[in-house]
């Protein structure tokens, strides 16, 4: 894991993201790419008769703010020992990050926060996990210290998404990591918990397995309780195992944690 992609903005939670990104970049002797993404299409308005209006003054203000942020980040990063660069994009945030993720190993963004008046979509982490070919590390906006060196909870249902996030988790673990594999209800996919435990063992990480009998409505509740009991520093889970449309209307485990998690999440689709 050498190239870390970081969503850069001026909102609450950026310092959390930056600190985690710096720690990981230093640990892997890698390269940190900070991406400032401002969707300029938001400055175009349409009237009912098909006309369009371009808010030039507002756009100029946004461009000036992006330039100021880039300058501030350059000054902030000048004192760091890692390799880094800053890029700017003017497409939608998810698309810009997903495009940059094509040549990255991990993307870092923030989770939703009901108390924050953020202009960043609350669904950013989930949308990016679907769109990007890499894992997404989603951090709470409230101050927290990310580390995969402590207890890690892996939510396992046996499908391809869970297997993908387990593979993506491996580089983040070290000899101090304690992994618990959690299954709730019936295994949905073709890969058993025994398969996952063997994979972890083959990579030098003996893990424990815990199973709960529960219907789908209680999965998020069980995962939350197990993470609390474990003192998990990170929860790893496949993103949107069911169709996204179904989750939009009926909720789902992924959607719940995107909106309510107070712990870092590692997501992959």
């Amino acid at each position: 894991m050498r190239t870390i992609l970081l969503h850069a903005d001026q909102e609450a939670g950026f310092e959390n993201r930056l600190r985690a990104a710096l720690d990981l970049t230093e640990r892997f002797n890698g390269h940190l790419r900070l991406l400032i993404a401002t969707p300029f299409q938001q400055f175009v308005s349409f009237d009912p008769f098909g006309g369009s209006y371009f808010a030039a003054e507002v756009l100029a203000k946004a461009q000036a703010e992006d330039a100021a942020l880039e300058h501030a980040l350059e000054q902030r990063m000048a004192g760091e020992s890692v390799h880094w660069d800053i890029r700017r994009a003017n497409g939608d945030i998810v698309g810009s990050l997903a495009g940059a993720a094509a040549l990255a190993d991990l993307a870092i963004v923030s989770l939703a926060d009901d108390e924050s008046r953020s202009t960043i979509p609350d669904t950013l982490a989930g949308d990016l996990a679907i769109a990007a070919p890499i894992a997404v590390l989603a951090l709470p906006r409230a101050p927290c210290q990310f580390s995969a060196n402590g207890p890690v909870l892996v939510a396992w249902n046996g499908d391809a998404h869970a297997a993908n996030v387990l593979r993506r988790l491996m580089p983040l673990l070290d000899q101090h990591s304690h992994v618990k594999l959690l299954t709730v209800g019936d295994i949905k996919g073709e890969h058993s918990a025994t398969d996952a435990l063997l994979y972890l063992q083959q990579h030098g990480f003996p893990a424990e397995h815990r199973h709960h009998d529960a219907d789908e409505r209680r999965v998020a509740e069980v995962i939350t309780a197990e993470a609390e009991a474990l003192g998990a520093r990170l929860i790893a889970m496949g993103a949107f195992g069911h169709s996204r449309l179904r989750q939009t209307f009926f909720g789902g485990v992924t959607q719940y944690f995107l909106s309510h998690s107070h712990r870092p999440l590692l997501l992959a689709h």
Side-chain angles (χ1 to χ4, degrees), residues 11 27-28 30 32 34 44-45 65 67 81-82 86 99 110 117 132 137 139 149 158-159 205 208 216 231 252 255 269:
E11 300 203 12
R27 172 181 168 186
F28 294 110
L32 176 59
L34 299 95
V44 179
S45 301
E65 290 174 348
S81 60
V82 303
I86 301 173
S110 284
R117 296 181 179 180
L137 177 61
L139 302 178
N149 299 338
D159 67 10
F205 300 105
E208 62 175 306
E216 188 172 350
Q255 194 65 53
H269 188 63

Side-chain angles (χ1 to χ4, degrees), residues 4-244:
I4 309 296
L5 175 65
L6 175 64
H7 176 220
D9 61 17
Q10 302 183 67
E11 300 203 12
F14 174 66
E15 189 61 31
N16 281 348
R17 280 177 275 150
L18 178 59
R19 178 45 52 195
L22 288 171
D23 289 346
L24 288 172
T25 305
E26 182 175 8
R27 172 181 168 186
F28 294 110
N29 190 26
H31 183 94
L32 176 59
R33 172 155 296 156
L34 299 95
L35 183 67
I36 302 170
T38 299
F40 288 165
Q41 69 267 28
Q42 67 182 317
F43 304 114
V44 179
S45 301
F46 298 90
D47 64 31
F49 304 101
S52 61
Y53 302 91
F54 190 68
E57 292 184 3
V58 181
L59 172 61
K61 181 175 181 292
Q63 290 175 319
E65 290 174 348
D66 281 358
L69 174 58
E70 183 175 7
H71 179 67
L73 289 173
E74 288 172 342
Q75 292 184 313
R76 170 73 170 79
M77 295 299 297
E80 299 294 340
S81 60
V82 303
H83 298 286
W84 56 274
D85 69 65
I86 301 173
R87 299 195 179 184
R88 289 161 64 178
N90 57 19
D92 71 277
I93 296 174
V94 173
S96 296
L97 286 166
L103 292 175
D105 300 307
L106 179 72
I108 302 179
V109 300
S110 284
L111 288 166
D113 184 350
D114 293 338
E115 298 180 1
S116 173
R117 296 181 179 180
S118 173
T119 60
I120 305 302
D122 286 346
T123 58
L124 173 60
D127 291 340
L128 183 58
I130 291 176
I134 60 177
V136 175
L137 177 61
L139 302 178
R141 294 181 186 176
C144 71
Q145 183 177 6
F146 165 74
S147 173
N149 299 338
V152 177
L153 184 70
V154 178
W156 186 258
N157 67 355
D159 67 10
H161 311 301
N164 191 22
V165 79
L166 185 60
R167 291 196 308 272
R168 305 290 187 179
L169 173 65
M170 290 298 101
L172 298 176
L173 302 177
D174 67 13
Q175 67 271 22
H176 301 296
S177 300
H178 172 64
V179 181
K180 175 182 278 189
L181 197 75
L182 175 66
T183 57
V184 184
D186 296 330
I187 293 292
K188 305 293 185 181
E190 59 182 292
H191 308 292
S192 69
T194 301
D195 293 335
L197 291 171
L198 178 60
Y199 179 79
L200 284 161
Q201 183 178 3
Q202 289 168 340
H203 284 76
F205 300 105
E208 62 175 306
H209 173 226
R210 187 170 178 83
H211 174 78
H212 278 268
D213 292 318
D215 60 43
E216 188 172 350
R217 292 169 296 179
R218 293 190 58 243
V219 173
E221 178 184 334
V222 172
I223 294 174
T224 299
E226 285 289 339
E228 183 70 27
L230 183 64
R233 296 281 193 91
L234 177 68
I235 299 175
M237 63 173 58
F240 297 106
H242 299 299
S243 73
R244 184 59 189 272

